[in-house]
Amino acid sequence: MKNDGLQPDLVAYNALINAGTMSNQPEQVFDLWVEMCNTDKREKVSPDIVTLTEVIATLDRGIGKINRERADKVFAEAVSRGIILKEDSLDSSWEVDLSRMSFPVARAACRFIFRRIANAAKNGDLDVKDFSLITGASKMREYVREVLRDELKPAVFCVVPKLEQGTLQVKEKVMRNYIAGQSD
């Protein structure tokens, strides 16, 4: 498209990313994300939540550590661009709403959030407290529990408060254990 002198817009990029998703081409999808993020601001092409969801889903289905690392880079870039986890949308730094995210995006969000908390705590920028993830009382709650338990090292265990069935709470002691278990 660019070789023919045409500049793709957001719809064209999202269509190309969707085609890469459907044909299971995580490397090409990641390359399109990078291309979108590196376009000249005058071209006014910037990824949106649809782009993010498709790219993360494709990388999540891809096999290998490289695709997980790419998904983490994509998610971090999306946060820096204000596509997701906007600072002004959070009730506090100790409560994050995952309830409207797709499963793959919530998975990447968990890794990002816990990495950010661990880094801030190790730098002395954060007093550790109980941490809440709003998931809704749905399959998302159990999915996030699995992600915390099976993918984070050390495993993070959480509870469901009796009066808040749509919330997972990670107690301060568990948070401290996770932070202490992070290598520099």
Side-chain angles (χ1 to χ4, degrees):
M1 195 182 263
K2 284 188 171 186
N3 293 338
D4 294 329
L6 300 172
Q7 177 56 40
D9 62 4
L10 178 62
V11 173
Y13 271 111
N14 283 347
L16 289 168
I17 287 169
N18 183 265
T21 298
M22 300 311 260
S23 60
N24 196 26
Q25 300 291 322
E27 186 172 341
Q28 286 79 3
V29 167
F30 178 72
D31 290 345
L32 285 166
W33 171 271
V34 170
E35 185 177 312
M36 283 183 82
C37 292
N38 292 330
T39 57
D40 189 331
K41 292 196 185 304
R42 290 173 289 165
E43 296 172 6
K44 296 186 183 339
V45 178
S46 185
D48 64 4
I49 192 67
V50 173
T51 316
L52 172 69
T53 301
E54 285 282 337
V55 171
I56 295 282
T58 304
L59 295 170
D60 193 61
R61 283 193 296 268
I63 298 171
K65 183 179 177 183
I66 186 82
N67 285 319
R68 176 172 290 174
E69 290 171 353
R70 287 175 176 161
D72 290 344
K73 286 179 186 176
V74 167
F75 194 87
E77 177 70 23
V79 171
S80 74
R81 289 173 167 269
I83 297 170
I84 198 158
L85 294 184
K86 299 175 185 172
E87 290 294 326
D88 62 351
S89 70
L90 303 177
D91 293 338
S92 75
S93 58
W94 294 100
E95 183 177 89
V96 177
D97 188 350
L98 305 175
S99 65
R100 292 186 211 127
M101 296 180 189
S102 68
F103 282 23
V105 173
R107 183 182 198 181
C110 288
R111 291 192 304 264
F112 176 86
I113 292 161
F114 278 81
R115 190 176 313 111
R116 183 168 68 178
I117 288 172
N119 289 338
K122 284 189 171 202
N123 292 335
D125 298 334
L126 196 62
D127 291 325
V128 180
K129 302 177 183 180
D130 288 353
F131 181 66
S132 296
L133 294 164
I134 301 167
T135 60
S138 64
K139 291 180 182 179
M140 178 66 82
R141 184 182 71 198
E142 295 311 310
Y143 180 78
V144 170
R145 271 185 127 154
E146 288 176 21
V147 169
L148 299 179
R149 181 190 65 227
D150 299 342
E151 293 189 23
L152 299 182
K153 302 295 179 222
V156 172
F157 295 95
C158 52
V159 297
V160 178
K162 189 172 185 168
L163 297 176
E164 297 174 354
Q165 292 294 301
T167 300
L168 294 173
Q169 189 174 60
V170 181
K171 296 293 188 180
E172 178 182 341
K173 182 177 178 181
V174 175
M175 289 299 297
R176 289 187 183 283
N177 183 56
Y178 173 78
I179 292 163
Q182 301 308 295
S183 59
D184 292 289

